[in-house]
């Protein structure tokens, strides 16, 4: 079978488009993870990755097959390593930001597979690519991806794509300081904070989009020195987008509600709390991370986050969420000493939380 596979791979180099299309379509049948020939395919990644990326720019049928193979192959991290190459990564970015590309969403899914590896996140954080029609004029790949993520919701940028998987890419890259730095610093091309562009999707109907956004919001909270800016309504103003999904239709005492962020006041009887327990846990972890600094705790107290956690706890059934809510409440209601008010003497350590 190995010899037959090698012969089939050679047809991907044919000068005839119809032969390449037929070969890649047939090859896709070998790419299912766990199948008999999957490892044979993965072991030939050095011959396949670039060729499949080129074919992904060809006919719709060939492009779909090529992308499907690459997505399947990158479930194995040994294949992902080939995307630490700037040229390979640039080819994926060009597919994503092309407003007429029919495999843009598949390319975004591929990117979300390979950014599970830190070296690829590092390359992506510095990568520069050519301009794309209809989005920002920045050469930085992350600027273009953030812009297309915002403009592309509900197929508004590309009728073939929703770009939800880019949220997973953002979550991956913010596992690392350079990724968090990108989202918390103003961009050169428009002077805005990238995190403020995506945080508005924390209640978006699509699970993949809002899940990645929630994880990104949580991850930036690992930067303790940025807590004051993160919580400043005139700067990042992240807090409303963390606590809004945790709010239900409950009514609060007027003296509590008037101190809450405006975005969570008077929500109405039809307000729904985040239904996914893993995402509720992610948002609660973000709150706990903000409690690792005195500035963070003080803002959360002032903004009456405790009543929101209290009402949530009354109906919460997930044990992880219950524990995280309890921990946050203890930190918010606890008395502060001279030591806990000083920088470097925080009551809990951010390292106790897993970055996702």
């Amino acid at each position: 079978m190995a010899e037959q596979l090698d012969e089939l791979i050679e047809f991907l180099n044919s000068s005839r488009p119809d032969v390449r299309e037929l070969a890649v379509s047939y090859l896709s049948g070998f790419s299912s993870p766990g199948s008999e020939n999957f490892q044979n395919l993965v072991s030939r990644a050095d011959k396949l990755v670039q060729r499949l990326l080129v074919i992904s720019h060809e006919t719709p049928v060939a492009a779909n097959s090529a992308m499907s193979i690459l997505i399947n192959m990158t479930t194995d991290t040994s294949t992902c390593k080939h995307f630490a190459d700037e040229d390979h990564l640039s080819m994926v970015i060009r597919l994503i930001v092309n407003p007429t590309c029919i495999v843009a969403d598949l390319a975004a899914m591929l990117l979300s597979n390979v950014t599970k590896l830190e070296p690829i996140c590092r390359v992506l954080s510095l990568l520069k690519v050519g301009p794309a029609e209809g989005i920002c004029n920045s050469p930085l790949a992350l600027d273009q991806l953030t812009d297309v993520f915002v403009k592309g919701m509900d197929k508004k940028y590309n009728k073939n794509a929703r770009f939800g998987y880019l949220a997973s890419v953002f979550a991956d890259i913010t596992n690392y300081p350079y990724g968090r730095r990108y989202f918390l610093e103003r961009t050169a091309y428009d002077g805005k904070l990238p995190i403020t562009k995506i945080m508005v999707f924390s209640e978006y109907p699509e699970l993949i989009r809002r899940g990645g956004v929630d994880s990104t919001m949580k991850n930036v909270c690992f930067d303790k020195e940025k807590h004051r800016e993160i919580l400043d309504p005139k700067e990042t103003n992240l807090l409303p987008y963390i606590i809004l999904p945790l709010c239900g239709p409950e009514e609060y005492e007027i003296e509590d509600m008037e101190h809450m962020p405006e975005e969570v006041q008077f929500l109405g009887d039809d307000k729904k709390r985040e239904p996914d327990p893993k995402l509720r846990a992610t948002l609660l972890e973000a709150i706990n991370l903000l409690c690792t600094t005195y500035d963070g705790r003080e803002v959360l107290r002032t903004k009456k986050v405790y009543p929101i956690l209290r009402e949530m706890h009354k109906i919460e059934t997930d044990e992880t969420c219950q524990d995280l809510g309890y921990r946050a409440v203890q930190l918010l209601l606890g008395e502060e000493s001279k030591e806990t008010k000083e920088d470097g003497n925080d009551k809990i350590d951010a390292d106790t939380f897993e970055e996702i």
Side-chain angles (χ1 to χ4, degrees):
M1 190 63 215
E3 291 182 5
Q4 293 175 325
L5 196 58
D6 287 332
E7 290 177 5
L8 185 59
I9 291 172
E10 283 302 312
F11 283 114
L12 298 179
N13 297 312
S14 171
S15 60
R16 291 176 51 185
D18 60 325
V19 172
R20 294 196 300 273
E21 183 177 304
L22 185 61
V24 73
S25 178
Y26 191 74
L27 193 64
S28 65
F30 296 96
S31 69
S32 180
S35 65
E36 181 180 356
N37 291 294
F38 179 68
Q39 286 303 322
N40 284 331
L41 203 64
V42 168
S43 67
R44 290 161 172 77
D46 58 330
K47 301 177 182 178
L48 282 167
V49 169
Q50 183 169 358
R51 189 65 241 160
L52 290 171
L53 285 172
V54 171
I55 293 175
S56 296
H57 291 74
E58 297 182 358
T59 67
V61 173
N64 270 286
S65 295
M67 271 290 116
S68 295
I69 295 170
L70 287 169
I71 289 169
N72 287 338
M73 289 179 65
T74 51
T75 60
D76 187 296
T77 56
S78 65
T79 301
C80 293
K81 295 175 183 178
H82 292 274
F83 289 86
D85 179 276
E86 286 191 8
D87 290 337
H88 291 169
L89 208 54
S90 294
M91 293 175 78
V92 178
I93 303 300
R94 286 199 293 272
L95 288 168
I96 295 171
V97 301
N98 182 341
T100 62
C101 180
I102 65 166
V103 294
D105 259 354
L106 292 178
M109 188 185 301
L110 172 62
L111 187 62
S112 74
N113 278 0
V114 302
T115 51
K116 297 299 181 286
L117 298 187
E118 189 278 335
I120 296 169
C121 287
R122 184 175 294 277
V123 173
L124 179 60
S125 71
L126 301 171
L127 186 66
K128 293 184 178 181
V129 293
E133 179 185 347
I135 57 173
C136 67
N137 59 5
S138 169
L140 195 64
L142 275 178
D143 284 344
Q144 294 191 18
L145 292 175
T146 304
D147 205 32
V148 79
F149 177 77
V150 174
K151 294 178 178 177
M153 68 169 188
D154 299 330
K155 300 186 177 181
K156 293 179 179 178
Y157 175 76
N158 181 336
K159 66 179 182 179
N160 304 296
R162 296 181 181 275
F163 303 103
Y165 281 98
L166 290 180
S168 297
V169 175
F170 303 151
D172 288 337
I173 201 167
T174 50
N175 278 326
Y176 309 104
Y178 51 82
R180 295 193 286 269
R181 191 179 310 119
Y182 168 76
F183 278 94
L184 293 174
E185 293 183 355
R186 298 185 183 278
T187 60
Y189 79 93
D190 68 358
K192 296 180 180 179
L193 298 166
I195 189 65
T196 64
K197 300 176 182 181
I198 71 168
M199 66 187 186
V200 296
F201 296 105
S202 66
E203 286 202 305
Y204 194 74
E206 183 189 13
L207 179 63
I208 294 172
R209 179 176 281 252
R210 77 173 187 274
V213 166
D214 288 352
S215 295
T216 304
M217 292 194 301
K218 170 202 162 180
N219 286 346
V220 299
C221 293
F222 276 92
D223 277 10
K224 291 184 177 183
E225 68 277 8
K226 290 284 189 176
H227 280 187
R228 186 174 295 181
E229 295 175 26
I230 285 172
L231 294 168
D232 188 340
K234 296 181 180 179
E235 289 291 328
T236 311
N237 194 32
L238 190 64
L239 183 60
Y241 300 95
I242 293 175
I243 61 176
L244 187 58
L246 300 177
C247 293
E250 299 85 7
E251 294 184 4
Y252 299 97
E253 297 291 336
I254 189 67
E255 57 266 28
D256 286 334
M257 188 168 59
E258 66 184 5
H259 290 290
M260 293 177 181
E262 292 182 3
E263 293 88 345
V264 302
Q265 297 181 16
F266 304 105
L267 294 178
D269 296 338
D270 59 345
K271 175 64 174 70
K272 303 294 184 183
R273 190 172 277 106
E274 169 57 57
D276 190 294
K278 291 184 178 179
L279 297 192
R280 293 199 302 275
T282 297
L283 295 165
L284 287 167
E285 286 183 331
I287 291 174
N288 275 272
L289 286 167
L290 291 171
C291 287
T292 60
T293 59
Y294 176 68
D295 283 340
R297 294 190 293 274
E298 279 297 280
V299 172
L300 268 57
R301 290 169 182 143
T302 302
K303 294 298 182 180
K304 299 297 179 180
V305 171
Y306 164 66
I308 294 173
L309 297 177
R310 180 192 64 209
E311 295 305 311
M312 178 185 176
H313 186 75
K314 291 178 181 179
I315 63 165
E316 183 58 67
T317 59
D318 182 80
E319 289 186 7
T320 300
C321 293
Q322 290 173 344
D323 291 343
L324 287 165
Y326 178 79
R327 291 168 68 179
V329 166
Q330 296 306 302
L331 291 164
L332 292 175
L333 297 186
E335 292 187 8
E336 300 283 358
S337 65
K338 179 181 178 182
E339 288 75 20
T340 63
K341 293 180 181 181
E342 294 176 357
D343 291 337
N345 288 297
D346 302 315
K347 297 181 74 172
I348 58 174
D349 193 335
D351 291 339
T352 62
F353 296 94
E354 179 186 1
E355 298 179 27
I356 54 177

